């Protein structure tokens, strides 16, 4: 069953990638908050409260419908702590029903074997947990010691993909913890990433020399070619306190929808543009994606950078893929691109071939989708 689910995810991700290459007028990723309340109070976090009620299910389903109508290909439930919402599974099922990839960001504390099985039944595609340290302290209780049993249950029962994000930055007392967390995640067969803590505006907090050393070692851990750990190169500048020269597409290719149903650039730039989702249009997507953001040079919000990187691949495929391969070779001089990557280069780095084969792939995927859809 795990293999079947994995193949299904890869098929739908391929459709998402091809569509992202064809059009810039729909969101690639939307994060939506079903509940602001959290069962933790990590000192660095400004994305929770202790009292908010869950957003009613009917309201959430309507917002998911609106995102699907706008063409969102990935819909992520975040918070607060989304596993506190009593109708979480119904929301995940509806995301899948509307054809989007369903992902969940959780602190993991409420995961049990039964809860994991319920997430399997709902059709969850991916789950992400950030683990801040090995042992809990007054900064964060999201520690490996607290969550390791949960990770073992995920290894045993989860039919969805799991990513464990280690954290570096202000407030983390022992930077070496990130390496331990990353190694444990990979030992269990999970994807492992590293994030750099930001301030309450989503802005850069440069790494100290010891933290920078740990970050460099983490990046050298064995991982796949197209892991965001390899083309998350914006973090290299962040770690040194340097700005990044990039164009933020938040409000367009990336949307953040708060519990009140307003669209914001991201979790740290709430209030802009502040338009209700039920009134958000393709014109809004195009306008906000094109708008320069003053916060962009020192932004550390990884998911916003990642959506921008997909657009960069669409706009400059040769330069982007060459950069990915060059960075991989810098970490491993013996690296040779696998055959699939060489084929991808031939198909998509020439504009005429990219347009021709892109149409063929879309047509084939649509035919397969119709053939496998129930009558």
């Amino acid at each position: 069953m795990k293999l079947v689910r994995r193949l299904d995810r890869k098929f739908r991700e391929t459709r998402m990638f091809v569509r992202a290459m064809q059009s810039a007028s729909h969101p690639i990723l939307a994060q939506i908050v079903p509940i602001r309340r959290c069962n933790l109070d990590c000192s660095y976090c400004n994305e929770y409260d202790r009292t908010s009620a869950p957003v009613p299910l009917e309201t959430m389903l309507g917002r998911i419908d609106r995102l699907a109508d706008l063409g969102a290909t990935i819909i992520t439930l975040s918070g607060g702590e989304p596993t506190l919402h009593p109708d979480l599974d119904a929301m995940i099922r509806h995301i899948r029903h509307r054809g989007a990839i369903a992902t969940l960001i959780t602190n993991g504390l409420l995961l049990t074997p039964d809860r994991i099985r319920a997430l399997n039944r709902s059709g969850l595609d991916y789950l992400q947990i950030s683990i801040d340290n090995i042992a809990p302290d007054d900064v964060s209780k999201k520690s490996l010691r607290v969550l390791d049993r949960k990770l073992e249950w995920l290894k045993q029962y989860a039919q969805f993909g799991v990513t464990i994000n280690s954290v570096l930055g202000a407030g983390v007392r022992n930077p070496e913890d990130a390496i331990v967390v990353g190694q444990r995640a990979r030992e269990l067969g999970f994807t492992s990433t590293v994030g750099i803590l930001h301030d309450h505006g989503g802005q850069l907090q440069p790494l100290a020399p010891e933290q920078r050393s740990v970050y460099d070692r983490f990046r050298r851990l064995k991982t796949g070619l197209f892991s965001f750990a390899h083309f998350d190169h914006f973090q290299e500048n962040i770690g040194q306190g340097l700005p990044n020269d990039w164009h933020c597409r938040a409000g367009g290719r990336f949307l953040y929808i708060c519990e009140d149903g307003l669209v914001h650039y991201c979790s740290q730039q709430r209030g802009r543009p502040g338009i209700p989702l039920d009134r958000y249009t393709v014109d809004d997507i195009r306008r906000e994606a094109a708008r320069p953001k003053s916060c962009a040079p020192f932004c550390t919000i990884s998911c916003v950078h990642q959506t921008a990187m997909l657009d960069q691949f669409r706009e400059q495929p040769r330069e982007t893929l060459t950069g990915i391969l060059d960075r991989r070779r810098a970490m491993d001089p013996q690296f040779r691109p696998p055959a699939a990557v060489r084929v991808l280069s031939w198909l998509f780095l020439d504009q005429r071939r990219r347009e021709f084969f892109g149409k063929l792939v879309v047509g084939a995927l649509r035919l397969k989708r119709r053939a496998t859809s129930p009558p």
Side-chain angles (χ1 to χ4, degrees):
M1 180 60 72
K2 284 188 177 182
L3 177 60
V4 173
R5 289 284 295 273
R6 184 171 184 270
L7 291 174
D8 177 67
R9 287 197 303 272
K10 294 303 179 184
F11 169 72
R12 289 183 291 113
E13 287 168 4
T14 300
R15 294 177 69 239
M16 178 205 76
F17 178 79
V18 171
R19 188 177 181 209
M21 295 302 101
Q22 290 188 316
S23 169
S25 297
H26 66 92
I28 295 174
L29 172 60
Q31 285 188 359
I32 186 167
V33 176
I35 184 170
R36 183 62 65 183
R37 181 161 54 91
C38 187
N39 51 350
L40 289 178
D41 56 352
C42 301
S43 63
Y44 61 82
C45 182
N46 67 341
E47 299 180 40
Y48 75 99
D49 66 29
R50 306 291 287 178
T51 59
S52 292
V55 178
L57 176 60
E58 183 177 357
T59 301
M60 284 300 303
L61 298 184
R63 292 173 184 173
I64 292 168
D65 282 336
R66 183 58 187 156
L67 288 172
D69 291 343
L70 288 171
T73 49
I74 306 172
I75 299 178
T76 298
L77 297 166
S78 62
E81 175 46 50
T83 59
L84 291 172
H85 199 293
D87 298 307
L88 176 64
D89 297 320
M91 289 182 275
I92 294 171
R93 285 194 297 270
H94 197 62
I95 292 171
R96 288 295 308 275
H97 173 70
R98 290 306 310 266
I101 293 172
T103 69
L104 176 67
I105 299 175
T106 174
N107 60 36
L109 290 184
L110 298 182
L111 294 177
T112 65
D114 286 345
R115 192 72 195 85
I116 294 168
R117 293 189 189 99
L119 292 173
N120 290 338
R121 292 191 296 271
S122 70
L124 184 67
D125 289 302
Y126 289 98
L127 176 145
Q128 177 183 307
I129 302 174
S130 288
I131 298 181
D132 300 334
N133 46 36
I134 294 176
D137 56 29
D138 55 356
V139 173
S140 175
K141 303 299 187 295
K142 294 190 297 182
S143 65
L144 187 60
R145 183 177 300 171
V146 171
L147 291 168
D148 195 63
R149 183 69 182 276
K150 314 287 186 178
L151 302 186
E152 291 179 350
W153 287 336
L154 286 167
K155 169 68 174 177
Q156 183 174 356
Y157 300 109
Q159 296 173 1
F160 43 83
V162 177
T163 295
I164 306 301
N165 185 55
S166 304
V167 176
L168 288 170
V172 177
R173 294 178 179 174
N174 185 4
E176 294 285 337
D177 286 1
I179 297 290
V180 176
V181 172
Q183 289 173 334
R184 177 57 172 157
R186 296 173 192 218
E187 174 186 307
L188 292 167
F190 302 147
T191 300
S192 178
T193 59
V194 61
I196 297 176
L197 286 179
H198 50 72
D199 65 17
H200 286 185
Q203 296 290 283
L204 167 66
Q205 293 291 297
L207 297 179
E210 182 183 7
Q211 296 167 332
R212 174 69 189 184
S213 174
V214 169
Y215 173 70
D216 290 340
R217 286 164 52 200
F218 192 102
R219 292 181 65 247
R220 289 181 173 85
L221 293 176
K222 184 178 179 181
T223 188
L225 174 64
F226 288 101
S227 164
F228 277 125
H230 281 310
F231 55 104
D232 241 357
H233 57 284
F234 75 93
Q235 286 190 334
E236 296 177 16
N237 282 339
I238 288 171
Q240 300 178 63
L242 301 174
N244 278 295
D245 182 13
W246 68 296
H247 180 72
C248 173
R249 274 100 168 157
R253 299 292 255 172
F254 176 89
L255 304 180
Y256 178 87
I257 298 90
C258 70
E259 65 275 27
D260 297 321
L262 302 178
V263 177
H264 311 273
Y265 289 155
C266 67
S267 64
Q268 304 306 308
Q269 294 293 328
R270 299 199 286 271
R272 297 188 296 167
I275 299 171
L277 176 62
D278 59 9
R279 299 208 303 265
Y280 219 67
T281 67
V282 173
D283 287 341
D284 293 319
I285 289 171
R286 292 171 178 159
R287 182 191 65 250
E288 297 302 333
R291 188 191 302 277
K293 281 85 173 179
S294 60
C295 52
F298 293 97
C299 171
T300 73
I301 309 299
S302 178
C303 49
V304 184
H305 280 268
Q306 290 165 4
T307 55
M309 289 172 193
L310 287 176
D311 267 345
Q312 183 182 2
F313 193 94
R314 182 180 61 83
E315 296 163 0
Q316 298 178 304
R318 182 182 301 277
E319 295 86 345
T320 304
L321 184 56
T322 298
I324 293 171
L325 296 174
D326 287 348
R327 283 186 291 276
R328 185 66 171 88
R329 292 189 186 100
M331 288 186 286
D332 180 6
Q334 304 302 316
F335 170 76
R336 272 183 52 79
V341 174
R342 294 197 294 273
V343 171
L344 179 69
S345 301
W346 186 86
L347 288 176
F348 288 99
L349 294 192
D350 178 88
Q351 183 175 352
R352 287 179 296 179
R353 284 199 297 264
R354 185 170 73 251
E355 292 175 353
F356 175 73
F357 285 103
K359 291 177 181 178
L360 286 183
V361 170
V362 170
L365 291 172
R366 285 173 177 167
L367 285 174
K368 182 173 181 182
R369 183 72 173 178
R370 286 198 292 269
T372 56
S373 296

